[in-house]
Amino acid sequence: MTETPARTDIGDQGAYAAAVQTAVSASAAYYGEGDSPLDDDAFDRLVRGIAAYEAEHPEHVLPDSPTGKVAGGAVAGDVPHTVPMLSLDNVFSAEGLEAWAAGLLRRLGREVASWSVEPKLDGLAISARYSGGRLVQLVTRGDGAAGEDVSRGIGMITGLPGRLAEPVTVELRGEVLMTRAQFEDANTARTAAGGAPFANPRSAAAGSLRTKDRAYRVEMTFFAYGALPLDGTDEGTAARLRELPHSGIMELVAGLGAHTTAATPVPAITATTMERVRERVEEIAALRAELDFGIDGIVIKADAAADQADAGISSRAPRWAIAYKLPAVEKITRLLDVEWNVGRTGVIAPRAVLEPVEVDGSVVTYATLHNAADIERRGLRIGDHVTVYKAGDVIPRVEAPVVHLRTGEERPIGVPSACPRCGDEIDASQQRWRCVRGRSCHAVASVRYAVGRDQLDIEGLGENRIDQLIDAGLITDFADLFVLTHEQVIALDRMGETSTAALLAAIGAAKAKPLNKVFCALGVRGTGRSMSRRISRHFGAMDAIRAADAEAFQEVEGVGPERATVLVAEIAELAPLIDKLVAAGVTMTEPGATGPGEPAPDAEAGEAGASGLPLSGLSVVATGAMSGPLAGLSRNEVNELIERAGGRASSSVSARTSLLVAGGKAGSKKDKAEKLGVEIVTPEEFAGRVAAFL
Ligand code: IVH
């Protein structure tokens, strides 16, 4: 992040006038129906361009310019606010924050007693008026001086109770938004009722609050960020609202029964040093991807009432608060096409092809679409402008079409009627469609996966060679590899005596691989390397896995009811392949495993954890180049080590991570672990802890 973010170039007075008009109408749409044609980044670039032009040509400034106005001068309503609903000034970097804080201290002529650091909720500002403890009126921000009455939203907003815990008269201010789940539900209900989907949770909340009659129910969420006295507020409460620090007011509000950020993974905190403020900014930013509601920054406020009073306000924003903006994780781009790809298990999955767009630091060209029903539900068409966002850490997803940008040229998305790979029928009985040939539809991909380094590790079997074996009718799955003869292999093009012997030796060696590798090679849906290890260690033998029902699978760490059901179905489907492997003499047991219900091998041995293993109960992530005793181990081998020592290996750092093994050149995972306060050790230190398992 830099302090000089990009801005739209505005060359002359004509371009300036056009830019002002675009910004004014986008702003009205954003604060009105929530259907702005510009995403946040594009709007901010435009306003910065306008401000830069105005700085150079003050004589050209137009009266409706959005600069210096609350809500960009958006539509006003007819309900006057008791106290203006202000905006916030922005910074975009740690240096910007530092400069702002220094300016505030200069203005006050003293240190700030304490800071409040809290998420900037990405919804719309609401004033909620309570009389005698009863919610009587909801008003939007409007132009800051007056807003629109949206009291029809009463009863639809979680966190904004109809009755407070005490019969007080008070105005709560906060943000109304939709959680991701509420957004999905709202769009499902809306499209089912024949309506056009909302582009994103923010516009869904804005649109839903303003819709007068609706045939379906939507649910929204409120988070308070302030409270004010009203006419009729008892003197005791009014005095507390005047005198308490912001953090105290938020406690009072939570005590009355309204939602605050206290109950979220990113609660507001107070800090007495700027160092702690910066640290908290980083912590909240690191947790953003895991939240089920949108945040677009962090708000830093002087906490004490006296500091706020002395800092005062400008025409637009308080001087005692600042928004530290985070980069947009949602952009608008075009949906150019939808591709249907067949995976190695025969699943046919749609993928959106997008006009390349930068989202949060990387260029996105493809995005996940779950299945045909999902496309239908979202009402997407080829050529649509769509909102795209990054879910979790990395996976880009298409959220919704931006319906008001349609030109009429958009086309329906073609849904395949036959398997796009082999032309056979599609089994559409489940949400995720599959080719009726299942794994054999894309045998090359499933065999390639099975012989990969982390599974059976058979060298010399590249895609071309596998293609050749399939075309020659020698194999239909990877079990057939184990019955290949010398004559069959040497007869293939470009195979000599030495390469044939080497390939057959590698195949022979793979027979002795432990069960976890064989199980992983099966490519069971819903399992990868680490889950295969857990299942193999838990059951100890393929027979036990085959005998397990859904309940038995749920005893494996990380297997819930849904995955357990898929596992049972998958094992049943794979029965002929497993039979072939057994007949070929492939290993079907896991060395060192004891089987379900029996104690782990060294249950009594160690001091740590109930199971006695040093990493028992810990979630461990390894990153960077391994060194010391771990040098030369692949990431998978390190993960195997973690799991042998009783830990759970994971590839991404989150609030649930217990330990990060950070080798040389460890990058963003180490940064994130530092921000989250996760314990970090070097490969050498880690090797010391798990020496017995190396
Ligand atoms: S305090 C007097 N705290 O951001 C200033 N605002 O861009 C009152 N917002 O109008 C705002 N989260 O709608 C505050 N934790 C938070 C917030 C927050 C979101 C919104 C609010 C404000 C807008 C300014």
Side-chain angles (χ1 to χ4, degrees):
M1 275 178 273
T2 66
E3 198 44 35
T4 49
R7 61 178 191 232
T8 308
D9 253 337
I10 297 176
D12 57 35
Q13 200 175 354
Y16 167 71
V20 167
Q21 201 178 357
T22 309
V24 167
S25 65
S27 176
Y30 184 88
Y31 289 100
E33 301 288 339
D35 58 355
S36 168
L38 301 179
D39 58 43
D40 289 1
D41 263 5
F43 182 77
D44 289 347
R45 274 198 305 277
L46 185 65
V47 174
R48 283 193 291 266
I50 291 172
Y53 182 88
E54 290 174 349
E56 286 199 13
H57 306 277
E59 71 283 8
H60 294 167
V61 174
L62 290 169
D64 38 346
S65 163
T67 58
K69 285 198 187 136
V70 169
V75 277
D78 53 7
V79 185
H81 289 301
T82 47
V83 172
M85 283 186 89
L86 298 175
S87 197
L88 288 169
D89 286 329
N90 298 324
V91 293
F92 300 88
S93 65
E95 298 77 56
L97 177 61
E98 216 70 46
W100 170 79
L104 177 57
L105 301 197
R106 266 198 309 278
R107 172 174 279 273
L108 291 175
R110 61 171 189 266
E111 290 293 319
V112 162
S114 171
W115 302 99
S116 165
V117 191
E118 53 197 69
K120 184 170 188 303
L121 304 148
D122 191 11
L124 61 146
I126 282 288
S127 138
R129 296 176 183 179
Y130 282 90
S131 174
R134 247 169 38 84
L135 180 55
V136 290
Q137 194 175 31
L138 295 182
V139 186
T140 65
R141 178 165 72 167
D143 67 355
E148 187 187 346
D149 188 307
V150 287
S151 303
R152 69 183 81 87
I154 293 176
M156 302 196 306
I157 307 172
T158 305
L160 200 51
R163 235 174 222 294
L164 294 176
E166 287 170 40
V168 285
T169 295
V170 68
E171 174 174 339
L172 301 188
R173 288 191 174 178
E175 206 81 351
V176 169
L177 48 75
M178 278 194 193
T179 63
R180 211 141 264 299
Q182 287 172 334
F183 169 67
E184 296 291 339
D185 288 350
N187 262 358
T188 304
R190 196 167 149 90
T191 48
F198 289 118
N200 57 39
R202 193 190 172 284
S203 46
S208 300
L209 261 186
R210 305 184 82 240
T211 307
K212 296 213 168 62
D213 304 299
R214 180 184 311 106
Y216 51 90
R217 232 190 105 68
V218 293
E219 187 72 31
M220 287 168 266
T221 299
F222 175 78
F223 289 104
Y225 53 65
L228 303 167
L230 283 172
D231 260 358
T233 301
D234 63 283
E235 196 32 52
T237 307
R240 292 176 75 195
L241 292 176
R242 272 196 309 273
E243 288 155 22
L244 279 173
H246 170 68
S247 52
I249 294 178
M250 296 322 294
E251 273 174 36
L252 185 152
V253 167
L256 289 173
H259 254 174
T260 65
T261 57
T264 72
V266 284
I269 60 135
T270 54
T272 49
T273 63
M274 275 313 279
E275 195 185 348
R276 178 67 189 122
V277 169
R278 265 195 312 275
E279 203 177 81
R280 184 63 186 163
V281 165
E282 307 253 309
E283 285 166 5
I284 295 178
L287 287 165
R288 181 192 198 182
E290 286 166 43
L291 302 176
D292 67 347
F293 54 88
I295 67 171
D296 58 349
I298 294 105
V299 183
I300 299 103
K301 301 172 180 172
D303 195 40
D307 285 343
Q308 294 189 0
D310 292 349
I313 58 170
S314 73
S315 68
R316 198 188 91 99
R319 293 204 179 89
W320 44 265
I322 193 83
Y324 185 120
K325 293 280 275 192
L326 293 174
V329 283
E330 184 192 273
K331 287 287 178 68
I332 296 176
T333 187
R334 299 274 305 283
L335 175 62
L336 302 178
D337 200 3
V338 171
E339 291 176 350
W340 297 81
N341 297 315
V342 184
R344 66 184 150 76
T345 61
V347 167
I348 303 167
R351 177 167 86 154
V353 184
L354 304 168
E355 206 165 84
V357 60
E358 200 203 300
V359 188
D360 197 15
S362 62
V363 175
V364 171
T365 320
Y366 298 103
T368 319
L369 291 165
H370 293 109
N371 49 50
D374 191 45
I375 294 176
E376 170 84 26
R377 200 169 56 78
R378 287 174 199 273
L380 292 164
R381 299 188 196 155
I382 305 284
D384 260 337
H385 284 84
V386 291
T387 42
V388 177
Y389 77 103
K390 277 202 190 154
D393 259 347
V394 278
I395 315 161
R397 292 182 196 280
V398 170
E399 200 164 44
V402 187
V403 176
H404 66 278
L405 291 181
R406 282 190 174 150
T407 59
E409 300 282 298
E410 296 75 19
R411 290 170 288 116
I413 295 173
V415 170
S417 52
C419 170
R421 187 174 171 85
C422 71
D424 212 328
E425 282 174 38
I426 293 177
D427 171 4
S429 60
Q430 309 278 317
Q431 281 240 320
R432 304 197 76 191
W433 290 0
R434 273 185 98 189
C435 171
V436 288
R437 295 192 194 194
R439 288 174 165 78
S440 44
C441 170
H442 203 172
V444 185
S446 50
V447 175
R448 182 79 203 100
Y449 177 78
V451 302
R453 182 167 169 215
D454 294 327
Q455 286 71 248
L456 296 177
D457 193 19
I458 303 178
E459 251 184 73
L461 274 184
E463 229 157 79
N464 291 342
R465 188 65 76 204
I466 297 169
D467 258 339
Q468 222 183 1
L469 289 164
I470 293 173
D471 290 347
L474 294 176
I475 63 167
T476 56
D477 54 41
F478 76 90
D480 291 335
L481 292 170
F482 295 104
V483 292
L484 284 177
T485 65
H486 186 272
E487 292 68 40
Q488 287 171 328
V489 177
I490 204 160
L492 296 172
D493 261 2
R494 301 184 309 281
M495 279 308 263
E497 195 59 56
T498 321
S499 48
T500 300
L503 178 57
L504 289 173
I507 294 173
K511 282 191 191 174
K513 292 269 176 198
L515 175 63
N516 77 76
K517 304 278 185 183
V518 179
F519 186 85
C520 191
L522 292 172
V524 176
R525 277 186 290 153
T527 67
R529 289 173 304 227
S530 140
M531 180 56 78
S532 297
R533 283 194 291 271
R534 265 179 267 153
I535 291 174
S536 302
R537 248 200 338 258
H538 180 82
F539 291 104
M542 184 66 94
D543 283 346
I545 297 178
R546 299 180 87 170
D549 57 13
E551 208 169 306
F553 271 117
Q554 284 179 64
E555 285 169 21
V556 179
E557 192 198 337
V559 179
E562 252 172 65
R563 201 197 300 237
T565 313
V566 175
L567 282 170
V568 173
E570 283 278 285
I571 304 293
E573 182 181 312
L574 287 160
L577 178 60
I578 300 172
D579 287 341
K580 270 161 85 172
L581 292 168
V582 172
V586 173
T587 305
M588 290 292 155
T589 52
E590 184 71 359
T594 46
E598 294 170 46
D602 21 350
E604 244 81 349
E607 331 81 303
S611 73
L613 299 172
L615 301 182
S616 166
L618 303 185
S619 170
V620 185
V621 178
T623 188
M626 291 299 121
S627 49
L630 305 189
L633 295 193
S634 69
R635 184 66 72 243
N636 187 50
E637 286 164 338
V638 175
N639 289 343
E640 286 174 344
L641 172 62
I642 292 169
E643 293 183 5
R644 274 201 304 281
R648 184 170 172 184
S650 163
S651 58
S652 61
V653 173
S654 74
R656 288 178 291 279
T657 306
S658 334
L659 183 67
L660 179 79
V661 185
K665 298 221 166 73
S668 60
K669 289 185 194 174
K670 190 173 176 195
D671 296 343
K672 189 167 178 187
E674 278 169 358
K675 285 171 203 160
L676 293 173
V678 170
E679 186 189 357
I680 302 174
V681 294
T682 64
E684 287 75 9
E685 286 164 342
F686 183 69
R689 288 199 198 182
V690 296
F693 299 83
L694 267 169

